[in-house]
Amino acid sequence: MHSILISTCNVMLPKTLPFPPSIHLPYKTCTKHCSTLIPAERTHRKPGSLWIPRTKKVCKMATKCTGCGPGYKSPLDAMKGPPEEIVYLPCIYRNTGIQKPDYLATVDVDPKSPTYCQIIHRLPMPNLNDELHHSGWNACSSCFGDSSKKRNRLILPSLISSRVYIVDTGTDPRAPQMHKIVEPTDIFWKTGLANPHTTHCLGSGQIMISSLGDPSGNGKGGFILLDGKTFEVVGNWELPGEAAPFGYDFWYQPRHNVMMSTEWGAPKALAYGFNLEHVKEGLYGSKIHVWDWTTHKRLQSLDLGEEGAIPLEIRFLHDPAATEGYVGCALQGTVFRFYRTPKGDWAAEKVIHVPSKKVEGWALPVMPSLITDILISLDDRFLYFSNWLHGDIRQYDITNRRNPRLAGQLFLGGSILNDGPVKVLEDPENQSQPPPRTIKGKRIPGSPQMLQLSLDGKRLYVTTSLYSGWDKQFYPEMIKEGSVMMQIDVNTANGGLKVNENFLVDFGKEPNGPALAHELRYPGGDCTSDIWL
């Protein structure tokens, strides 16, 4: 019995297949332009010869490489894409004292538009206290070769309620509407998981969402699969018994048959704030998990130790041939590089460290930087991250992968402002305490947190909310005033960061009261949601 399994995205068929003369293969693969499957004539293989398909039909991409599937053929092609015109942001009311549902805001970021720098649409969720957090797409560049796929649904998991909202962004991108709601009971019963976090579309057409825990609030790093058409819960991606102790972010790379995932902490520990004792009690993670992409088995768990405590965002280099990437570790302000070794397994090494500062007037005598978000430019040249407690954004040239070089730094708020209650007693970097930052007449509350880079790498967008329970603990003024969205001009030639003084979106002036805006997404894809195969 001969069987052939053909996926719908980016399939490379072997050059020789042991088909008997009576077997037909109705599809061939266009590799010149987009790797999509296209109809071929029914062709017999002659006994003793190789099977060679004949076709008179050509790939649609052969004359125009813009309409094959969602996203772009390569990261460098994406850098040539059009500039962003609108941005989607989840806005949160949980822990603010305002009994209103979270909502998805659409912001106009087109300088030529009459509504530039304004919120042009708000889509409220139908429930309270969801804690919208991160988002992802039903299809991205991993399905570029499939012309049947469209990037037209935004997936919005709720970190606390465990609901997943499916939002229609295709009918009217400037006014998204609700398409479907996946209720938490479906996730609990079918997967045993809860607290969904990161969303990625898969080349198969399915959608995968990482989890932080189980329905009881314990840590459990598993993965929820949704059907890419119906958005019904399919089940777990990981095999039974293979879930990691904790979960958070993940990034896959089928070319190397690998997926990497990270750890935050147990939902019952982090739900309402951060307690250092919970770290000592083992309720926060410190590992990168290595998964076999084909078998779904967990192959390795790389323990980063105390220096790598609470590893959050993980990013492979965008070049799909690369076998390395970076992860930002919050508690000790470190960035680790992970890589495949000559033996074929995976390892990690610390390559960046932002030292803690000795302080007085704060909750603890030592203040870590708390790296909370990182991203890599599409050309794999620059790495960016935010230090949410110290209050700065950093740009590193990672041309030398093992020795990143600081190329730009910018303070935008934080906990060590020179007119605040905290006094820095000892700083290994010998930096003076920064002044408060004012943009368009508003003093920036909170600190830079979520980052998103324009496709060409020249504009860095920043929001200030981390997570409502931690916002309330560390930046209570932001709960009262709302978060903000800023834009940073990036020097892509030599490195450097500069505030755009004419751009500010103030979520403190929202109709229902100050809101906490979190992660940013462009309708056309970006460097943290698109994966290339």
Side-chain angles (χ1 to χ4, degrees), residues 346-366:
W346 295 80
E349 60 180 351
K350 185 182 70 174
V351 293
I352 299 173
H353 179 218
V354 180
S356 300
K357 304 176 190 291
K358 291 185 178 180
V359 297
E360 65 178 14
W362 196 61
L364 298 171
V366 175

Side-chain angles (χ1 to χ4, degrees), residues 348-385:
E349 60 180 351
K350 185 182 70 174
V351 293
I352 299 173
H353 179 218
V354 180
S356 300
K357 304 176 190 291
K358 291 185 178 180
V359 297
E360 65 178 14
W362 196 61
L364 298 171
V366 175
M367 181 189 293
S369 71
L370 209 75
I371 295 176
T372 52
D373 193 22
I374 71 169
L375 58 78
I376 299 173
S377 60
L378 288 172
D379 58 3
D380 291 333
R381 182 183 173 192
F382 291 113
L383 180 146
Y384 300 83
F385 63 76

Side-chain angles (χ1 to χ4, degrees), residues 132-163:
L132 298 181
H133 198 61
H134 285 207
S135 63
W137 294 105
N138 65 317
C140 73
S141 292
S142 66
C143 278
F144 177 71
D146 187 350
S147 59
S148 70
K149 296 291 188 296
K150 294 182 179 179
R151 193 198 308 258
N152 59 2
R153 300 289 185 266
L154 186 67
I155 316 301
L156 277 172
S158 303
L159 195 61
I160 295 300
S161 73
S162 296
R163 281 186 190 87

Side-chain angles (χ1 to χ4, degrees), residues 29 137 230 459:
T29 304
W137 294 105
T230 66
R459 295 168 300 285

